[in-house]
Amino acid sequence: MEYLEWRHVFKLDPAKEISDEALTRVCESGTDAILVGGTDGITLELVMDLLMRVRQYSVTVALEISTIESVSPGFDYYFIPTVLNSTKTEWVKDLHIEAIKEFGDFVDWNELVPEGYCILNPDCKAAHITEAQTELKEVDVIAQARLAEKFFKLPIFYVEYSGIYGDPTMVRAAKSVLKSTRLFYGGGITSVQQAIEMSKIADTIVVGNHIYDNLEEAIETVKAVHEISL
Ligand code: 1GP
């Protein structure tokens, strides 16, 4: 699957405004994919509007599903998080079961990509909502990564620090035990140097907020990451 080759991803939040000019820069940056996703205020209208705009470009585009009501057809992939360090079964598998009950007979399973999330920033919205147990040591992250790969056979393990730059030690711990499952890192990448540091550890890095804060710097991370081979 193509997503197994991604090194750099831009995450666009449908609830945040982005000008046509900025969107062109993002879509033509050479990034491997656009992941559409966010936590708050995501509606079907906003998702469809952003998809239509991104579809003017040839870049691969995936939807990271946050609510079942905002799922629109037309994406290349549908990424479905299961939050492995959530303390609520809702975020691990209950919402998934509800969706499968409703749509299980007619979904194209080949388009669905499950992601095992490990949320490590205690202050991010996703951590609050999912009541994630974020006080994890390396040994815990290693166990989470193994749970993802060996137990649930997930194609992606996502170390999520959304909003802050993470601890490379934790990312390295996850990487040290993963063989077939791909390691995604996301959170607080605001410079080329940080993008390079995390790209040397993780298979794929995700740049989100910085697109909205400093587009030029965010764009620079694409080339920097593509120059590094793992
Ligand atoms: C968020 O991992 C992504 O889900 C990216 O994080 O927005 O902090 O770059 P940032």
Side-chain angles (χ1 to χ4, degrees), residues 11 64 117 158-164 185-189 206-210:
K11 193 181 273 193
E64 189 168 58
Y117 258 73
Y158 193 134
V159 174
E160 171 69 292
Y161 276 91
S162 182
I164 60 164
Y185 168 80
I189 291 179
V206 182
V207 177
N209 275 320
H210 212 50

Side-chain angles (χ1 to χ4, degrees), residues 22-42:
L23 192 67
T24 303
R25 297 288 316 281
V26 170
C27 293
E28 293 184 340
S29 64
T31 186
D32 298 309
I34 305 288
L35 193 51
V36 171
T39 313
D40 267 348
I42 311 297

Side-chain angles (χ1 to χ4, degrees), residues 144-164:
Q144 298 263 338
R146 284 183 164 146
L147 181 77
E149 180 175 287
K150 304 292 185 201
F151 192 84
F152 288 124
K153 314 277 185 197
L154 297 169
I156 293 170
F157 182 67
Y158 193 134
V159 174
E160 171 69 292
Y161 276 91
S162 182
I164 60 164

Side-chain angles (χ1 to χ4, degrees), residues 199-212:
S199 292
K200 285 183 176 166
I201 310 168
D203 299 303
T204 307
I205 66 147
V206 182
V207 177
N209 275 320
H210 212 50
I211 298 165
Y212 303 93

Side-chain angles (χ1 to χ4, degrees), residues 36 43-53 55 61-63 65 67-78 103 106-108 111-112:
V36 171
T43 64
L44 181 61
E45 286 72 24
L46 291 170
V47 168
M48 288 178 74
D49 179 64
L50 187 55
L51 173 65
M52 258 167 39
R53 293 174 68 202
R55 272 292 183 227
V61 56
L63 177 66
I65 298 178
T67 62
I68 201 72
E69 298 78 30
S70 60
V71 178
S72 148
F75 284 86
D76 296 310
Y77 298 107
Y78 294 87
F103 304 109
F106 49 90
V107 290
D108 180 350
E111 290 178 350
L112 303 191

